[in-house]
Amino acid sequence: TDRPSDPWTTAIERWKLPLPTGRQLDGVLFPLYWEMQRLLAVPSGASDTLHKRCVDLGIDLISLPTEPGEFPPDDLIVALGSA
């Protein structure tokens, strides 16, 4: 698949974590969405509106740092069940 070059997607591939599928919510594409886990990860935090929308849809939402570090954040590992 032809994915946009995103620092988080690149880091997730490097860490050998499950790759996100992406999801569109209210006309906005969020690249860091995992369908199997119903998980949305948002760099730099999520708005209250997005948080409420995820609650309404039964999607788990986690905030990530703006840029990925050398290792994956613990909450992302736990949420993906890759611990």
Side-chain angles (χ1 to χ4, degrees), residues 10-64:
T10 302
I12 288 163
E13 288 175 350
R14 187 177 73 238
W15 297 326
K16 304 206 182 323
L17 293 174
L19 291 176
T21 57
R23 175 154 181 177
Q24 193 158 334
L25 290 174
D26 301 327
V28 178
L29 178 63
F30 293 92
L32 302 178
Y33 177 75
W34 290 262
E35 182 67 41
M36 291 289 293
Q37 292 84 0
R38 296 190 56 77
L39 172 70
L40 180 66
V42 181
S44 307
S47 68
D48 290 342
T49 303
L50 179 59
H51 181 75
K52 182 180 183 327
R53 187 79 170 107
C54 287
V55 168
D56 290 346
L57 294 171
I59 295 172
D60 291 330
L61 176 66
I62 61 171
S63 292
L64 298 173

Side-chain angles (χ1 to χ4, degrees), residues 64-81:
L64 298 173
T66 303
E67 295 290 326
E70 186 177 349
F71 301 102
D74 289 341
D75 53 349
L76 181 61
I77 293 172
V78 170
L80 291 174

